[in-house]
């Protein structure tokens, strides 16, 4: 397993002719085939990737010239299938590519493979994949986190210098923390969602998984910005995210009280407390801060998210995309059978819950109430950021858990997301940066930043890495 150099160096070497894009793609494909036992990858785009590499070698250009990457299999890509790890999309070939993929390709990057995920990104472990469970590179009996578990494992297994994930309730940050990668959940609207299989449209974001904050900043810089195909995208104020100059001294840091309480694994707690000490030694002013509504964020998320999921999944009806039941006798039966056979248990559970909380009679009791509390969460974050530059805490109550440990009880699985969902409810940018080990398992520090402060957050993450 050979490590990749920094992404900007790699692109510079391709442009100077020192290395060939074709060789990089082959290196990536070899790492994928050497590490099949981890089940991180659903499919490769070998043909298209090698063709693009040969093209790029003729005229190397772009900030990511010849750099291979891996996309979670819920990004629409050309040259292969896009399945979202679900049976219902098993035969689906995308007719166009996600804007994020287009932007990366325009700078010379090459999508080499599609990574495993919980089907439709519903989950925290990749155990809801209709394909297979990805294994944690640090311990094969444990999950890599989810839903972007394949992307996270791929980065640690050096299958590519970066991978893409989506984060609706923590799906980039949780696996990043569980495998020891950097995982960025940008501000809502920072990266276009066009061409990404929708989960919960009011919280879905797209972001990179990398080994370093510097690499993540470059990839996010290329992907971000307004897109006329996604009306929720926001303008990027800064010219670039790649200048990561930062000094912790004088910065005000709030440690989220509600995330440091009982139930937190002792090993995780020790790593986070150690990180806080490092920030203090670097000159930051650190204080505890309480956001009293945060413990409610999980309940809010598991109402709002299924509500949006139930609506977004209605398009898979056996007529327009992917799987269509063969034995149906009429149209209604075709809808029913295609969905019955095509969706897994978790998708069905979310469709049921979502339909229930949106139905008349229950709408006021659940959905409306959840949205009211969501507003409280947003207000508490913005009040906290009037006093603090960043908020910090753990990503999850435990390090990577055992495969099968939580599959019998969906509620147990949902509880993993207790520290990540709030930033999705509010839209704030948040990142997981490797912070240490609990036993032999990685633990990430979560840094949450004010709205649209993705650049400062990346600079802070790099400065945290530099503290060693
Ligand atoms: N684990 C969360 C869920 O199951 C978040 C998933 C995600 O961010 N895509 O909904």
């Amino acid at each position: 397993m050979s490590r990749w150099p920094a992404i900007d160096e790699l692109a510079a070497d391709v442009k100077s002719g020192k290395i060939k894009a074709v060789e990089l793609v082959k290196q990536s494909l070899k790492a994928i085939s050497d590490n099949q036992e981890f089940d991180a990858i659903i499919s490769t785009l070998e043909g298209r990737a090698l063709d693009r590499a040969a093209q790029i070698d003729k005229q190397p250009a772009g900030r990511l010239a010849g750099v291979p990457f891996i996309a979670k299999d819920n990004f629409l890509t050309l040259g292969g299938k896009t399945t979202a790890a679900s049976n219902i999309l098993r035969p689906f070939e995308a007719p166009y590519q996600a804007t994020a993929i287009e932007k990366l390709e325009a700078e010379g990057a090459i999508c080499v493979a599609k990574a495993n995920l919980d089907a439709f990104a519903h989950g925290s472990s990749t155990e809801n994949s209709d394909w297979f469970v990805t294994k944690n590179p640090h311990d094969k009996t444990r999950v890599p986190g989810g839903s972007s578990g394949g992307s996270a494992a791929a980065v640690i297994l050096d299958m590519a210098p970066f991978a893409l994930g989506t984060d609706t309730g923590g799906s980039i940050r949780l696996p990043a923390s569980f495998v020891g990668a950097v995982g960025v959940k940008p501000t809502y609207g920072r990266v276009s969602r066009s061409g990404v299989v929708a989960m919960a449209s009011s919280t879905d974001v797209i972001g990179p998984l990398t080994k370093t904050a510097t690499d993540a900043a470059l990839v996010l810089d290329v992907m971000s910005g307004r897109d006329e195909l996604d009306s929720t995208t926001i303008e990027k104020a800064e010219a670039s995210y790649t200048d990561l100059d930062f000094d912790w001294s004088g910065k005000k840091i709030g440690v989220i009280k509600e995330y440091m309480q009982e139930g937190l694994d002792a090993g995780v707690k020790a790593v986070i407390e150690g990180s806080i000490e490092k920030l203090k030694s670097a000159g930051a002013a650190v204080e505890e801060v309480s956001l009293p509504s945060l413990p409610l964020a999980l309940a809010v998320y598991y109402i709002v998210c299924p509500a949006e999921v139930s609506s977004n999944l209605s398009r898979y009806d056996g007529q327009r995309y992917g799987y269509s039941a063969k034995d149906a006798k009429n149209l209604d039966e075709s809808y029913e059978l295609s969905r019955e056979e095509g969706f897994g248990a978790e998708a069905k559970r979310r469709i049921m819950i979502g339909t229930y909380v949106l139905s008349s009679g229950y709408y006021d009791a659940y959905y409306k109430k959840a949205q009211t509390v969501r507003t409280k969460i947003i207000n508490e974050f913005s009040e906290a950021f009037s006093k603090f530059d960043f908020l910090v805490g753990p990503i999850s109550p435990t390090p990577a858990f055992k495969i099968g440990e939580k599959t019998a009880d969906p509620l147990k699985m949902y509880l993993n997301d207790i520290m990540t969902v709030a930033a999705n409810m509010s839209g704030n940018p948040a990142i997981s940066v490797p912070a240490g080990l609990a036993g032999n398992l990685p633990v990430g520090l979560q840094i949450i930043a004010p709205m649209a402060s993705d650049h400062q957050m990346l600079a802070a993450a790099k400065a945290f890495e530099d503290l060693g």
Side-chain angles (χ1 to χ4, degrees):
M1 165 157 64
S2 65
R3 277 195 70 118
W4 299 89
I7 293 175
D8 56 350
E9 285 172 32
L10 211 50
D13 285 349
V14 170
K15 279 185 280 194
S16 72
K18 199 169 145 199
I19 37 175
K20 294 282 173 211
V22 168
E23 293 311 316
L24 297 180
V25 169
K26 285 185 181 160
Q27 181 182 333
S28 170
L29 290 166
K30 180 168 185 315
I32 291 169
S33 92
D34 288 349
N35 288 291
Q36 284 182 34
E37 61 193 306
F38 291 95
D39 284 327
I41 300 298
I42 290 181
S43 61
T44 66
L45 307 176
E46 183 167 349
R48 188 168 192 274
L50 285 168
D51 286 350
R52 273 184 45 76
Q55 261 338 97
I56 288 166
D57 281 332
K58 281 188 203 142
Q59 228 174 6
R63 299 169 73 197
L64 301 172
V67 177
F69 72 96
I70 290 169
K72 188 176 181 178
D73 203 22
N74 57 354
F75 285 77
L76 271 51
T77 49
L78 298 173
K81 298 209 164 61
T82 296
T83 70
S86 71
N87 279 327
I88 205 161
L89 283 178
R90 204 174 269 264
F92 178 62
E93 281 179 37
Y96 64 96
Q97 300 206 104
T99 296
I101 303 282
E102 291 284 316
K103 286 193 167 192
L104 294 168
E105 284 196 353
E107 291 293 342
I110 303 172
C111 187
V112 171
K114 307 294 289 291
N116 193 31
L117 62 147
D118 292 286
F120 288 109
H122 304 163
S124 315
S125 66
T126 79
E127 290 168 294
N128 291 335
S129 168
D130 289 342
W131 266 232
F132 32 64
V133 180
T134 301
K135 282 83 193 164
N136 191 310
H138 298 271
D139 177 349
K140 272 189 254 171
T141 68
R142 291 178 188 270
V143 301
S147 62
S148 312
S151 300
V155 166
I156 296 307
L157 294 166
D158 281 313
M159 292 176 176
F162 73 93
L164 301 183
T166 56
D167 193 314
T168 301
S171 278
I172 291 174
R173 288 162 289 155
L174 184 69
S177 176
F178 278 13
V179 305
V182 171
V184 185
K185 173 228 173 285
T187 303
Y188 181 76
R190 176 61 74 211
V191 179
S192 170
R193 290 177 291 114
S194 173
V196 178
V197 176
M199 181 176 166
S201 306
S202 80
T203 79
D204 286 348
V205 294
I206 284 142
L209 289 126
T210 56
K211 289 248 181 92
T212 66
T214 307
D215 281 351
L218 174 54
V219 174
L220 187 63
D221 195 37
V222 169
M223 291 195 296
S224 56
R226 278 280 303 153
D227 177 18
E228 59 182 31
L229 298 175
D230 175 358
S231 60
T232 62
T233 47
I234 53 174
E235 212 67 66
K236 179 161 99 186
E238 303 95 318
S240 162
Y241 295 152
T242 53
D243 170 8
L244 297 177
D245 250 7
F246 186 89
D247 189 350
W248 281 109
S249 72
K251 293 290 185 301
K252 295 198 186 73
I253 311 299
V255 179
I256 300 174
K257 182 178 160 208
E258 286 73 14
Y259 291 173
M260 297 298 284
Q261 284 166 345
E262 92 264 357
L264 187 61
D265 172 90
V268 173
K269 194 167 186 212
V271 170
I272 302 305
E273 285 174 348
S275 306
I276 291 166
E277 287 312 311
K278 282 188 202 167
L279 296 178
K280 283 185 188 160
S281 318
V286 184
E287 239 179 79
E288 187 179 75
V289 57
S290 171
L291 286 82
S293 298
L294 287 202
L296 300 172
L298 194 73
V300 170
Y301 173 79
Y302 277 100
I303 291 169
V304 172
C305 167
E308 295 186 27
V309 162
S310 69
S311 146
N312 274 327
L313 291 185
S314 65
R315 73 193 65 174
Y316 306 107
D317 57 4
Q319 318 308 310
R320 288 171 293 177
Y321 314 87
Y323 177 74
S324 185
K326 294 286 159 291
D327 302 329
K329 288 184 220 60
N330 54 48
L331 187 59
D332 277 347
E333 209 177 287
S334 174
Y335 292 150
E336 274 171 35
L337 281 180
S338 302
R339 287 168 71 81
E340 161 70 34
E341 293 164 11
F343 284 131
E346 187 60 28
K348 286 176 187 161
R349 186 176 296 123
R350 295 189 189 216
I351 291 168
M352 299 279 288
I353 296 173
T355 309
Y356 179 82
V357 298
L358 289 174
S359 58
S360 72
Y362 294 106
Y363 179 91
D364 283 341
Y366 293 103
Y367 185 75
K368 200 168 161 216
K369 205 179 260 175
Q371 292 291 12
T372 308
V373 180
R374 183 178 187 173
T375 305
K376 276 181 77 101
I377 294 167
I378 294 170
N379 292 341
E380 285 176 18
F381 269 122
S382 71
E383 203 196 312
F385 285 120
S386 68
K387 299 192 198 97
F388 295 99
D389 297 300
F390 301 100
L391 301 179
V392 300
I395 291 285
S396 93
T398 66
F401 49 89
K402 291 265 187 197
I403 292 172
E405 194 180 317
K406 297 178 197 265
T407 40
D409 183 355
L411 211 61
K412 262 196 189 160
M413 190 68 87
Y414 297 168
L415 279 167
N416 274 298
D417 306 332
I418 193 147
M419 292 155 183
T420 48
V421 290
N424 297 87
M425 290 293 97
S426 66
N428 287 77
I431 189 169
S432 179
V433 201
L437 295 173
N440 64 337
L441 298 171
V443 172
L445 174 73
Q446 178 161 219
I447 305 176
I448 308 176
M451 283 302 242
S453 303
D454 307 64
H455 184 193
Q456 291 86 327
M457 178 179 81
L458 286 157
K462 157 89 168 62
F464 176 72
E465 287 172 352
D466 291 344
L467 298 177

